[in-house]
Amino acid sequence: MTDNTQSGVLVSIGELARRTGLAVRTIRFYCDEGILESQRSAGGHRMFDPDSAAERLLLVRRLRILGLGLDSITHVLHGERSLTEAIAAESARLDVELRSLAWRRASLRAIETASSAQRSARLALLAAAQDGVAVHDRLVRFWRRILAPLPRAASDPWVCWNVPQPPAEPSIDEVVAYVELAALAADPDVIRVVRRQYWRGRPELIHDAHALYVAVGEVMVDVVSLVTEGVQPHRGNELDRFVIAHASARGERDTPRFREQMMIDATDADHRIHRYWALTSQFLGTRVTVGQAHNWLYEALTSSTELVDAPASQQTALPEEYRDGSGHEPGNARRRAARRAELLRQLL
């Protein structure tokens, strides 16, 4: 503050209040907060340049109406942040708040519309989930635990592909399905069965988990294409590569005995795994999940182990389009290659 006796070009706080329509106490508060500058008259009264003070107060009022906090406004007025940056930050904050409110509204409606027999259980389920962001974080932690000991750089693309984002405007069914995913992910037994499905039996024998992850991931890309096209599980290139990847990771070879070993205590048929991926599919639309690809390979593996002891006359031959050993239809090679490249980029 500086003394200024040129009272002819300055106005008092009362006059500034009259010109701007703001209360004197509000203008005094803005001065104390460093938002508005004033000078002192010879008598010690606050005096203001009428044009610049009114312009600044108008800007403060408009930004306050838009919901910006005083700290953000102060940064703008002091040149520490541009107006564009401040508005973008407030818009992002409001998006988060609106998503939270939409989640709460859907949760309340889900409880409201539940039958009397379901209401207590649904209330407990939704209350434990908090909100969509918290559920998503829980699902991410769940899969990072499943994929351990892979480094985050390797597992995060996989997680992004298979963990659905919470819906911005969830319906009743969506909010209930999403929290059910969280409940499954919180079950220690589900963690065990899903981890066994992914890494198979005897994971302690795997000498390079990352190499196995990459090899299996490449197989999954091709299987996703088969699932997308409705190709039924069968023996062939994809299954062979899947088994070889697991055998090699354990220092073994692909033999009938090893394939039988892979079936011992397999958890692929566990209803909780199928429920998890069924719920996930509700949010991923037409995207084929790794869960569906794993199930395709499990059914193909089951078929291959059942055929080991069957007479040759009972063994089903591969369809004609798969007899070239590639597992690919020749007419779709180019389309498959393009899809495979895109999926590899996203999954690996």
Side-chain angles (χ1 to χ4, degrees), residues 5 19 35 50 60 74 79 92 102 111 135 144 150 155 168 225 240 242 245 261 269 290 293 304-305 307 331 340 346:
T5 58
R19 294 189 182 194
I35 292 175
V60 172
T74 301
I111 297 170
V135 172
R144 284 177 179 163
L150 295 179
S155 63
S225 295
D240 291 346
F242 177 71
Q261 184 69 45
V290 169
S304 74
T305 54
L307 289 171
R340 186 177 191 278
Q346 295 172 330

mmCIF file of all heavy atoms in Angstrom, residues 5 19 35 50 60 74 79 92 102 111 135 144 150 155 168 225 240 242 245 261 269 290 293 304-305 307 331 340 346:
data_model
loop_
_atom_site.group_PDB
_atom_site.id
_atom_site.type_symbol
_atom_site.label_atom_id
_atom_site.label_comp_id
_atom_site.label_asym_id
_atom_site.label_seq_id
_atom_site.Cartn_x
_atom_site.Cartn_y
_atom_site.Cartn_z
ATOM 1 N N THR A 5 -2.341 11.190 -2.321
ATOM 2 C CA THR A 5 -3.221 12.311 -1.968
ATOM 3 C C THR A 5 -4.002 12.820 -3.157
ATOM 4 O O THR A 5 -4.765 13.765 -3.043
ATOM 5 C CB THR A 5 -2.381 13.453 -1.374
ATOM 6 O OG1 THR A 5 -1.384 13.834 -2.337
ATOM 7 C CG2 THR A 5 -1.697 13.030 -0.095
ATOM 8 N N ARG A 19 -20.539 1.496 -7.356
ATOM 9 C CA ARG A 19 -20.358 1.319 -8.794
ATOM 10 C C ARG A 19 -20.432 -0.152 -9.222
ATOM 11 O O ARG A 19 -20.889 -0.455 -10.315
ATOM 12 C CB ARG A 19 -19.014 1.894 -9.238
ATOM 13 C CG ARG A 19 -18.910 3.405 -9.089
ATOM 14 C CD ARG A 19 -17.640 3.907 -9.758
ATOM 15 N NE ARG A 19 -17.472 5.352 -9.611
ATOM 16 C CZ ARG A 19 -16.601 6.085 -10.309
ATOM 17 N NH1 ARG A 19 -15.816 5.480 -11.204
ATOM 18 N NH2 ARG A 19 -16.497 7.381 -10.113
ATOM 19 N N ILE A 35 -6.436 -10.104 -3.640
ATOM 20 C CA ILE A 35 -7.072 -10.177 -4.960
ATOM 21 C C ILE A 35 -7.230 -8.788 -5.563
ATOM 22 O O ILE A 35 -7.111 -8.609 -6.780
ATOM 23 C CB ILE A 35 -8.449 -10.872 -4.838
ATOM 24 C CG1 ILE A 35 -8.251 -12.354 -4.469
ATOM 25 C CG2 ILE A 35 -9.261 -10.753 -6.129
ATOM 26 C CD1 ILE A 35 -9.545 -13.096 -4.200
ATOM 27 N N PRO A 50 -10.800 3.676 -10.063
ATOM 28 C CA PRO A 50 -12.160 3.200 -10.333
ATOM 29 C C PRO A 50 -12.259 2.258 -11.528
ATOM 30 O O PRO A 50 -13.031 1.296 -11.488
ATOM 31 C CB PRO A 50 -12.943 4.490 -10.574
ATOM 32 C CG PRO A 50 -11.907 5.495 -10.967
ATOM 33 C CD PRO A 50 -10.679 5.134 -10.198
ATOM 34 N N VAL A 60 -13.502 -11.133 -11.181
ATOM 35 C CA VAL A 60 -13.608 -12.014 -10.017
ATOM 36 C C VAL A 60 -15.027 -12.525 -9.870
ATOM 37 O O VAL A 60 -15.269 -13.723 -9.640
ATOM 38 C CB VAL A 60 -13.168 -11.277 -8.736
ATOM 39 C CG1 VAL A 60 -13.469 -12.114 -7.497
ATOM 40 C CG2 VAL A 60 -11.682 -10.939 -8.796
ATOM 41 N N THR A 74 -6.868 -16.025 -7.748
ATOM 42 C CA THR A 74 -5.674 -15.265 -7.356
ATOM 43 C C THR A 74 -4.499 -15.586 -8.274
ATOM 44 O O THR A 74 -3.753 -14.686 -8.687
ATOM 45 C CB THR A 74 -5.301 -15.572 -5.897
ATOM 46 O OG1 THR A 74 -6.390 -15.238 -5.046
ATOM 47 C CG2 THR A 74 -4.072 -14.789 -5.476
ATOM 48 N N GLY A 79 -0.987 -13.549 -12.587
ATOM 49 C CA GLY A 79 -0.240 -14.002 -13.747
ATOM 50 C C GLY A 79 0.471 -15.325 -13.561
ATOM 51 O O GLY A 79 1.320 -15.702 -14.377
ATOM 52 N N ALA A 92 -12.246 -29.876 -15.580
ATOM 53 C CA ALA A 92 -11.844 -31.254 -15.270
ATOM 54 C C ALA A 92 -12.327 -31.648 -13.875
ATOM 55 O O ALA A 92 -12.796 -32.773 -13.662
ATOM 56 C CB ALA A 92 -10.338 -31.392 -15.373
ATOM 57 N N ALA A 102 -23.307 -38.872 -10.562
ATOM 58 C CA ALA A 102 -24.054 -39.829 -11.387
ATOM 59 C C ALA A 102 -23.981 -41.230 -10.786
ATOM 60 O O ALA A 102 -24.962 -41.985 -10.808
ATOM 61 C CB ALA A 102 -23.501 -39.826 -12.813
ATOM 62 N N ILE A 111 -30.704 -49.269 -5.053
ATOM 63 C CA ILE A 111 -31.219 -49.715 -3.751
ATOM 64 C C ILE A 111 -32.729 -49.506 -3.676
ATOM 65 O O ILE A 111 -33.477 -50.354 -3.184
ATOM 66 C CB ILE A 111 -30.503 -48.946 -2.616
ATOM 67 C CG1 ILE A 111 -29.006 -49.274 -2.624
ATOM 68 C CG2 ILE A 111 -31.120 -49.293 -1.265
ATOM 69 C CD1 ILE A 111 -28.190 -48.388 -1.720
ATOM 70 N N VAL A 135 -13.720 -48.386 -7.584
ATOM 71 C CA VAL A 135 -13.861 -49.746 -8.110
ATOM 72 C C VAL A 135 -12.821 -50.005 -9.183
ATOM 73 O O VAL A 135 -12.184 -51.066 -9.213
ATOM 74 C CB VAL A 135 -15.275 -49.966 -8.674
ATOM 75 C CG1 VAL A 135 -15.351 -51.317 -9.390
ATOM 76 C CG2 VAL A 135 -16.310 -49.912 -7.559
ATOM 77 N N ARG A 144 -2.977 -56.446 -11.410
ATOM 78 C CA ARG A 144 -1.530 -56.319 -11.192
ATOM 79 C C ARG A 144 -1.037 -57.415 -10.255
ATOM 80 O O ARG A 144 0.085 -57.909 -10.408
ATOM 81 C CB ARG A 144 -1.207 -54.937 -10.622
ATOM 82 C CG ARG A 144 -1.262 -53.823 -11.674
ATOM 83 C CD ARG A 144 -1.011 -52.474 -11.073
ATOM 84 N NE ARG A 144 -1.035 -51.439 -12.104
ATOM 85 C CZ ARG A 144 -1.176 -50.150 -11.854
ATOM 86 N NH1 ARG A 144 -1.308 -49.722 -10.600
ATOM 87 N NH2 ARG A 144 -1.188 -49.284 -12.843
ATOM 88 N N LEU A 150 5.319 -59.563 -13.202
ATOM 89 C CA LEU A 150 5.615 -58.757 -14.381
ATOM 90 C C LEU A 150 5.825 -57.302 -13.997
ATOM 91 O O LEU A 150 5.154 -56.777 -13.101
ATOM 92 C CB LEU A 150 4.459 -58.842 -15.378
ATOM 93 C CG LEU A 150 4.176 -60.197 -16.017
ATOM 94 C CD1 LEU A 150 2.976 -60.067 -16.947
ATOM 95 C CD2 LEU A 150 5.390 -60.704 -16.778
ATOM 96 N N SER A 155 2.632 -55.074 -17.843
ATOM 97 C CA SER A 155 1.264 -55.456 -17.472
ATOM 98 C C SER A 155 0.236 -54.355 -17.698
ATOM 99 O O SER A 155 -0.937 -54.647 -17.937
ATOM 100 C CB SER A 155 1.224 -55.890 -16.007
ATOM 101 O OG SER A 155 1.578 -54.821 -15.145
ATOM 102 N N ALA A 168 -19.664 -43.268 -17.344
ATOM 103 C CA ALA A 168 -19.832 -41.886 -16.886
ATOM 104 C C ALA A 168 -21.253 -41.634 -16.380
ATOM 105 O O ALA A 168 -21.463 -40.893 -15.415
ATOM 106 C CB ALA A 168 -19.491 -40.914 -18.020
ATOM 107 N N SER A 225 -8.937 -63.089 -32.650
ATOM 108 C CA SER A 225 -9.467 -63.024 -34.017
ATOM 109 C C SER A 225 -10.384 -64.207 -34.304
ATOM 110 O O SER A 225 -11.435 -64.054 -34.941
ATOM 111 C CB SER A 225 -8.308 -62.995 -35.022
ATOM 112 O OG SER A 225 -7.544 -61.820 -34.886
ATOM 113 N N ASP A 240 -1.185 -75.308 -30.056
ATOM 114 C CA ASP A 240 0.187 -75.822 -29.972
ATOM 115 C C ASP A 240 1.136 -74.758 -29.427
ATOM 116 O O ASP A 240 1.965 -75.033 -28.544
ATOM 117 C CB ASP A 240 0.670 -76.283 -31.351
ATOM 118 C CG ASP A 240 -0.049 -77.538 -31.830
ATOM 119 O OD1 ASP A 240 -0.707 -78.194 -30.994
ATOM 120 O OD2 ASP A 240 0.037 -77.837 -33.035
ATOM 121 N N PHE A 242 0.393 -72.205 -27.600
ATOM 122 C CA PHE A 242 0.044 -71.941 -26.198
ATOM 123 C C PHE A 242 0.684 -72.979 -25.282
ATOM 124 O O PHE A 242 1.296 -72.633 -24.257
ATOM 125 C CB PHE A 242 -1.478 -71.967 -26.065
ATOM 126 C CG PHE A 242 -1.983 -71.783 -24.661
ATOM 127 C CD1 PHE A 242 -1.895 -70.559 -24.019
ATOM 128 C CD2 PHE A 242 -2.570 -72.845 -23.979
ATOM 129 C CE1 PHE A 242 -2.376 -70.399 -22.722
ATOM 130 C CE2 PHE A 242 -3.047 -72.695 -22.691
ATOM 131 C CZ PHE A 242 -2.952 -71.459 -22.058
ATOM 132 N N ALA A 245 4.526 -72.658 -25.234
ATOM 133 C CA ALA A 245 4.968 -71.523 -24.423
ATOM 134 C C ALA A 245 5.040 -71.910 -22.953
ATOM 135 O O ALA A 245 6.026 -71.607 -22.259
ATOM 136 C CB ALA A 245 4.025 -70.338 -24.622
ATOM 137 N N GLN A 261 -1.095 -82.628 -17.689
ATOM 138 C CA GLN A 261 -0.681 -81.901 -16.490
ATOM 139 C C GLN A 261 -1.319 -80.515 -16.450
ATOM 140 O O GLN A 261 -1.693 -80.016 -15.389
ATOM 141 C CB GLN A 261 0.845 -81.777 -16.463
ATOM 142 C CG GLN A 261 1.408 -81.123 -15.205
ATOM 143 C CD GLN A 261 1.235 -82.010 -13.980
ATOM 144 O OE1 GLN A 261 1.501 -83.203 -14.029
ATOM 145 N NE2 GLN A 261 0.797 -81.405 -12.880
ATOM 146 N N ALA A 269 -13.034 -73.652 -15.649
ATOM 147 C CA ALA A 269 -14.474 -73.883 -15.584
ATOM 148 C C ALA A 269 -15.116 -73.273 -14.342
ATOM 149 O O ALA A 269 -16.337 -73.368 -14.166
ATOM 150 C CB ALA A 269 -14.756 -75.390 -15.618
ATOM 151 N N VAL A 290 -9.553 -61.168 -22.897
ATOM 152 C CA VAL A 290 -8.598 -62.254 -22.732
ATOM 153 C C VAL A 290 -9.266 -63.442 -22.051
ATOM 154 O O VAL A 290 -8.890 -64.593 -22.275
ATOM 155 C CB VAL A 290 -7.367 -61.769 -21.932
ATOM 156 C CG1 VAL A 290 -6.493 -62.935 -21.504
ATOM 157 C CG2 VAL A 290 -6.547 -60.796 -22.773
ATOM 158 N N ALA A 293 -10.679 -65.520 -24.707
ATOM 159 C CA ALA A 293 -9.606 -66.197 -25.432
ATOM 160 C C ALA A 293 -9.063 -67.373 -24.625
ATOM 161 O O ALA A 293 -8.794 -68.453 -25.168
ATOM 162 C CB ALA A 293 -8.484 -65.205 -25.752
ATOM 163 N N SER A 304 -8.147 -81.739 -27.086
ATOM 164 C CA SER A 304 -6.913 -82.408 -27.515
ATOM 165 C C SER A 304 -6.503 -83.514 -26.556
ATOM 166 O O SER A 304 -5.993 -84.559 -26.971
ATOM 167 C CB SER A 304 -5.775 -81.390 -27.658
ATOM 168 O OG SER A 304 -5.293 -80.975 -26.399
ATOM 169 N N THR A 305 -6.725 -83.301 -25.245
ATOM 170 C CA THR A 305 -6.350 -84.338 -24.275
ATOM 171 C C THR A 305 -7.331 -85.501 -24.317
ATOM 172 O O THR A 305 -6.957 -86.651 -24.076
ATOM 173 C CB THR A 305 -6.299 -83.758 -22.855
ATOM 174 O OG1 THR A 305 -7.542 -83.120 -22.558
ATOM 175 C CG2 THR A 305 -5.176 -82.751 -22.721
ATOM 176 N N LEU A 307 -8.666 -86.592 -26.982
ATOM 177 C CA LEU A 307 -8.411 -87.324 -28.220
ATOM 178 C C LEU A 307 -7.148 -88.178 -28.170
ATOM 179 O O LEU A 307 -6.904 -88.981 -29.062
ATOM 180 C CB LEU A 307 -8.307 -86.337 -29.396
ATOM 181 C CG LEU A 307 -9.626 -85.679 -29.835
ATOM 182 C CD1 LEU A 307 -9.346 -84.582 -30.834
ATOM 183 C CD2 LEU A 307 -10.559 -86.725 -30.440
ATOM 184 N N GLY A 331 -8.148 -66.802 -47.346
ATOM 185 C CA GLY A 331 -8.818 -65.619 -47.873
ATOM 186 C C GLY A 331 -8.870 -64.462 -46.894
ATOM 187 O O GLY A 331 -9.101 -63.323 -47.292
ATOM 188 N N ARG A 340 -4.231 -58.426 -36.162
ATOM 189 C CA ARG A 340 -3.223 -58.953 -35.240
ATOM 190 C C ARG A 340 -2.224 -57.856 -34.864
ATOM 191 O O ARG A 340 -1.850 -57.718 -33.703
ATOM 192 C CB ARG A 340 -2.487 -60.133 -35.886
ATOM 193 C CG ARG A 340 -1.519 -60.840 -34.953
ATOM 194 C CD ARG A 340 -0.888 -62.040 -35.651
ATOM 195 N NE ARG A 340 -0.176 -62.861 -34.707
ATOM 196 C CZ ARG A 340 1.064 -62.602 -34.283
ATOM 197 N NH1 ARG A 340 1.695 -61.547 -34.730
ATOM 198 N NH2 ARG A 340 1.648 -63.412 -33.407
ATOM 199 N N GLN A 346 -1.817 -53.042 -28.767
ATOM 200 C CA GLN A 346 -2.587 -52.692 -27.592
ATOM 201 C C GLN A 346 -2.347 -53.625 -26.419
ATOM 202 O O GLN A 346 -2.353 -53.208 -25.250
ATOM 203 C CB GLN A 346 -4.083 -52.690 -27.942
ATOM 204 C CG GLN A 346 -4.454 -51.617 -28.950
ATOM 205 C CD GLN A 346 -5.884 -51.744 -29.430
ATOM 206 O OE1 GLN A 346 -6.417 -52.849 -29.474
ATOM 207 N NE2 GLN A 346 -6.485 -50.637 -29.810
#
